[in-house]
């Protein structure tokens, strides 16, 4: 395995829509990257804390959370915990984080709270930090986008995805222009694909036509094992490692890993045009 640069690649998963597979992708790409031997830290930036519960971490077992880090300024290390997956750590979230949007309003450089917290990782042997966002473009998502080097956008293969593509492109351009000009587009992940539906195929074609090579392979199928795994507090690598969902995320993680390594030396970000 080729060594990555010392500075971890900070990846943000964002899409202002809910239910498109952000958290499922964070957990399962994270777990597969860990399986590949990468050292991964997931930071749950969503007050709904789905990445936290999906990794089997209960609220009572949380020493400190993303809220403590972002709002109270506690060190990231105090909130960081191991998961049941070797190589995969988590900074958990809980519902207190819902208050952050309001509590940080009067704070100077409130959009950089996470960026500052991540500075503590400069000498950490991590390969990837993956940020899971809420389904909105509020201050939590803004913090995550500002702190990230690369953006991964999950798109659900359904009719509304096509309607939303223009808006999504606009939002990404806006995020880069206003918040983080260095943000690369690591890729687009097509999720929740139902092969029985003609429409799902049309969405895949349309997104590929629009975004070309930015679309990562493979398309993630709708797979019942993927939806069951969080209730067992396990990534798909542990819950159903031979399922179609696991195969798809394994291949996707390898593709993403290869792309990010190849890109590590590039000076310019791929364009959305
Ligand atoms: P988001 O984080 O964007 O809101 P989630 O990852 O929580 O989306 O996914 C929304 C719902 O769809 C969850 O119940 C999840 O378990 C389910 N889900 C996500 N991806 C898949 C998939 N590929 N197959 C089956 N169910 C999925
Ligand atoms: Mg989510």
């Amino acid at each position: 395995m080729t060594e990555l640069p010392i500075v971890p690649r900070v990846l943000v998963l964002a899409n202002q829509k809910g239910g498109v597979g952000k958290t499922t992708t964070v957990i399962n790409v994270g777990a597969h990257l860990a399986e590949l031997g990468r050292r991964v830290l997931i930071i749950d930036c969503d007050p709904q804390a789905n990445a936290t519960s999906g990794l089997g971490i209960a609220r009572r077992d949380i020493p400190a959370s993303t809220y403590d880090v972002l709002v109270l300024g506690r060190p990231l290390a105090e909130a960081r915990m191991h998961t049941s997956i070797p190589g995969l750590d988590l900074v958990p979230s809980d519902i207190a984080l819902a208050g952050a949007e309001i509590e940080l309003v009067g704070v100077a450089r409130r959009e950089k709270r996470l960026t500052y917290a991540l500075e503590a990782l400069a000498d950490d042997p991590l390969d990837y930090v993956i940020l899971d966002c809420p389904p909105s473009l509020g201050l939590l998502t803004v913090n995550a986008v500002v702190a990230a080097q690369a953006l991964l956008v999950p798109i659900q293969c359904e009719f509304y995805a096509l309607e939303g593509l223009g808006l999504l492109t606009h939002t990404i351009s806006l995020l880069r222009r206003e918040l983080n000009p260095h943000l690369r587009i690591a890729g687009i992940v097509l999720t929740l694909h139902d092969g029985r539906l003609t429409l799902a195929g049309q969405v895949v074609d349309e997104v590929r036509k629009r975004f070309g090579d930015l679309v990562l392979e493979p398309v993630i199928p709708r797979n019942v094992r993927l939806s069951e795994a969080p209730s067992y507090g396990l990534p798909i690598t542990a819950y159903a490692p031979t399922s179609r969902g696991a195969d798809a995320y394994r291949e996707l993680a390898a593709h993403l890993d290869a792309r990010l390594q190849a890109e590590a030396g590039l000076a310019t970000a791929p364009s959305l045009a």
Side-chain angles (χ1 to χ4, degrees), residues 22-23 46 50 132-133:
K22 283 186 295 296
T23 302
D46 185 352
N50 295 147
D132 191 25
C133 290

Side-chain angles (χ1 to χ4, degrees), residues 97-121:
L97 192 58
E101 303 267 358
I102 293 162
E103 288 172 56
L104 287 175
V105 160
V107 174
R109 287 186 278 283
R110 57 186 171 273
E111 76 287 353
K112 295 210 123 192
R113 305 287 290 188
L114 185 59
T115 307
Y116 296 144
L118 292 185
E119 283 171 2
L121 296 174

Side-chain angles (χ1 to χ4, degrees), residues 110-273:
R110 57 186 171 273
E111 76 287 353
K112 295 210 123 192
R113 305 287 290 188
L114 185 59
T115 307
Y116 296 144
L118 292 185
E119 283 171 2
L121 296 174
D123 298 320
D124 201 288
L126 273 169
D127 296 306
Y128 293 110
V129 177
I130 308 179
L131 311 173
D132 191 25
C133 290
S136 64
L137 284 175
L139 192 51
L140 292 167
T141 298
V142 165
N143 260 274
V145 168
V146 168
Q149 290 144 358
L151 170 70
L152 202 57
V153 184
I155 294 180
Q156 184 180 347
C157 300
E158 45 127 38
F159 171 70
Y160 294 108
L162 292 181
E163 283 197 324
L165 282 188
L167 179 66
L168 190 67
T169 313
H170 175 75
T171 307
I172 295 171
S173 311
L174 202 74
L175 293 176
R176 287 169 87 176
R177 198 180 69 216
E178 302 293 331
L179 296 175
N180 186 350
H182 303 295
L183 189 70
R184 291 178 197 286
I185 313 298
I188 287 166
V189 184
L190 287 161
T191 62
L192 285 149
H193 182 263
D194 186 340
R196 295 165 304 181
L197 302 179
T198 320
L199 179 68
Q202 287 167 355
V203 173
V204 173
D205 292 345
E206 193 60 36
V207 172
R208 284 201 177 121
K209 210 157 75 192
R210 183 92 164 239
F211 295 103
D213 285 347
L214 283 179
V215 181
L216 287 160
E217 297 294 338
V219 171
I220 305 297
R222 188 178 278 278
N223 175 249
V224 69
R225 296 283 177 242
L226 285 171
S227 59
E228 289 167 355
S231 57
Y232 293 87
L234 293 171
I236 199 70
T237 48
Y239 175 66
T242 58
S243 61
R244 284 177 64 223
D247 288 345
Y249 271 114
R250 183 174 299 113
E251 203 180 326
L252 183 86
H255 186 192
L256 181 68
D257 187 56
R259 174 178 288 195
L260 289 172
Q261 282 191 73
E263 260 190 7
L266 290 184
T268 52
S271 154
L272 266 185

